[in-house]
Amino acid sequence: MSRPDRPPDDTGPLPVVADPFTGSSQEPPDEPARSDLNGIATAPRERRGGRWWRLLALVSALVLVLVAGGVAVGGWFYARSVDKTVARVDVFSALPEAGRPAKTPSAALNLLILGSDSTDPDPTGSRADTIILVHLPANRERAQLISIPRDTWTTLPTGAAGQGGTQAKINAAYAWGGTPLMVRAAERFTGVRVDHVVLIDFAGFREIVDALGGIEVGVSETFTSTHRPFRTFHAGTQRMDGATALDFARQRKQFRDGDFTRIRHQQQVIAALVDRATQRGLVTSPGRLDAFLKATAGAVTVDNTLSTFDLAWDLRGIRRANIDRVISPSAGTATIGDQSVVLPDEPAARQLFTAVRTDTMDQWLAAHPPG
């Protein structure tokens, strides 16, 4: 069975979406902008800089209030002013309420992180699309990074209200209908209501890591990069500058489980960055803080309902030790038509995302220890 090039025409037009980097409204393309080696549509390549380092810039902005004891009054007002400079994208006004998961009574928060590696040096030109659901429990004592493999085979919504659908890889939703359709696809797959969205790209996050003086990442096994300058990553804790961390997060071909290892590496980099940011004491050094924020604040793109300051305040107690890293359960890989896909383990995934929706991830994690 092969995927059609776009959703069936009889389900109605996709909504007009705002370009996440220019702010202009545009119709979704009639055809997917590009495709990977498997022939599946993926998000169009962005030329204006990194969506991945936008995530890391956002995380970096959060360190404004990640230091115990809070922020001085002057710092508080400065943080508020920084929040106003963050680039915004309209996501939720294009989403009809009908068909969306209900918001649970819990004060838990769910963010959808979307991105791609637009300058991956791999000569095949494939794109390492990233889909991460970040769950923040009501008590804000932990955070869960739940990665959904980009090749997950699922039913994408195609109707005006999300009804109906067509079988495809989940990352095709972005090419077909931009961020709004991607949110609808994620909500349909997980049953979890998305509260906020962040757009990212691996390509430019080097500057953020370097601005923090590098990060420490645990390498599980020795391997050599497939990209120039062909770095060797040795097993054990390794100090990485921005270019090295970017290289580490791109690797997949040398591993038996390929993209799943790449996903784990991405999660490690995010956790290490949060850890490093909290260690640097940026809030206690006004000069360092000012220079860092000037270098990063303009690179953040979030939905227009997200307050980065309020989110940072919620996250002030989060450290690497209480960030849980999870991959959506799969039943292995398969070939459908000419496409290599990841088959979801639907019963196991249902249990996981029910725990997210009901804010009972502590119980789920206890029953599913890492590894």
Side-chain angles (χ1 to χ4, degrees):
M1 177 175 60
S2 60
R3 175 197 54 77
D5 287 337
R6 60 171 299 170
D9 292 334
D10 59 359
T11 56
L14 294 171
V16 174
V17 296
D19 184 278
F21 304 107
T22 65
S24 62
S25 295
Q26 59 184 10
E27 295 288 343
D30 287 337
E31 298 292 337
R34 57 185 173 87
S35 58
D36 64 16
L37 284 180
N38 299 316
I40 184 68
T42 54
R45 183 180 300 188
E46 296 294 342
R47 298 292 188 183
R48 286 194 55 196
R51 282 176 294 173
W52 165 246
W53 85 282
R54 292 165 193 271
L55 166 62
L56 299 178
L58 174 62
V59 174
S60 304
L62 301 185
V63 304
L64 283 167
V65 288
L66 288 179
V67 176
V71 185
V73 173
W76 186 90
F77 282 111
Y78 184 63
R80 285 292 188 186
S81 69
V82 169
D83 183 73
K84 294 179 181 178
T85 70
V86 175
R88 304 282 172 173
V89 56
D90 183 9
V91 176
F92 297 104
S93 66
L95 293 179
E97 187 62 29
R100 295 191 68 196
K103 175 67 176 176
T104 62
S106 167
L109 202 63
N110 298 302
L111 296 88
L112 185 64
I113 307 301
L114 302 174
S116 66
D117 190 351
S118 61
T119 60
D120 189 336
D122 192 317
T124 64
S126 61
R127 290 294 170 258
D129 292 339
T130 302
I131 306 169
I132 303 176
L133 183 67
V134 180
H135 177 69
L136 304 177
N139 61 20
R140 301 298 193 265
E141 292 179 356
R142 303 191 68 81
Q144 283 88 43
L145 305 181
I146 306 170
S147 293
I148 302 172
R150 61 177 184 168
D151 293 337
T152 296
W153 189 254
T154 188
T155 300
L156 300 185
T158 56
Q163 76 279 11
T166 185
Q167 291 277 288
K169 294 181 181 181
I170 194 168
N171 68 346
Y174 189 80
W176 289 352
T179 309
L181 186 61
M182 191 67 235
V183 170
R184 279 167 48 189
E187 289 186 337
R188 179 167 184 163
F189 178 73
T190 64
V192 174
R193 188 180 183 93
V194 173
D195 298 301
H196 297 292
V197 177
V198 179
L199 299 171
I200 61 174
D201 191 322
F202 277 111
F205 93 107
R206 287 173 291 193
E207 291 85 350
I208 306 303
V209 175
D210 288 338
L212 288 171
I215 58 176
E216 291 189 351
V217 178
V219 180
S220 60
E221 61 180 287
T222 299
F223 67 92
T224 300
S225 169
T226 59
H227 303 141
R228 294 182 182 279
F230 307 115
R231 297 175 177 86
T232 295
F233 295 88
H234 297 281
T237 300
Q238 185 168 336
R239 186 81 174 182
M240 299 183 186
D241 61 12
T244 303
L246 173 60
D247 195 16
F248 176 77
R250 280 174 166 157
Q251 302 306 308
R252 70 185 189 280
K253 289 190 174 182
Q254 24 330 33
F255 306 109
R256 181 178 56 81
D257 59 356
D259 203 45
F260 289 94
T261 293
R262 182 189 62 82
I263 289 172
R264 288 191 289 271
H265 287 178
Q266 289 179 356
Q267 294 177 337
Q268 284 182 272
V269 168
I270 294 173
L273 184 74
V274 171
D275 217 35
R276 181 62 174 167
T278 59
Q279 294 171 0
R280 290 285 286 171
L282 296 181
V283 174
T284 61
S285 175
R288 185 186 299 162
L289 174 64
D290 184 66
F292 185 77
L293 290 177
K294 285 179 179 177
T296 60
V300 178
T301 298
V302 301
D303 73 85
N304 59 5
T305 67
L306 175 62
S307 165
T308 57
F309 180 88
D310 291 344
L311 179 60
W313 183 254
D314 282 344
L315 294 175
R316 63 191 181 278
I318 300 296
R319 301 294 186 271
R320 178 172 7 195
N322 46 8
I323 297 177
D324 304 301
R325 304 192 294 269
V326 180
I327 300 177
S328 180
S330 72
T333 60
T335 300
I336 298 180
D338 60 352
Q339 303 174 56
S340 176
V341 306
V342 173
L343 300 175
D345 183 337
E346 295 183 357
R350 191 177 306 115
Q351 292 180 13
L352 166 62
F353 293 117
T354 295
V356 173
R357 187 172 61 254
T358 58
D359 198 19
T360 56
M361 279 297 293
D362 283 349
Q363 293 93 313
W364 187 90
L365 288 163
H368 302 82

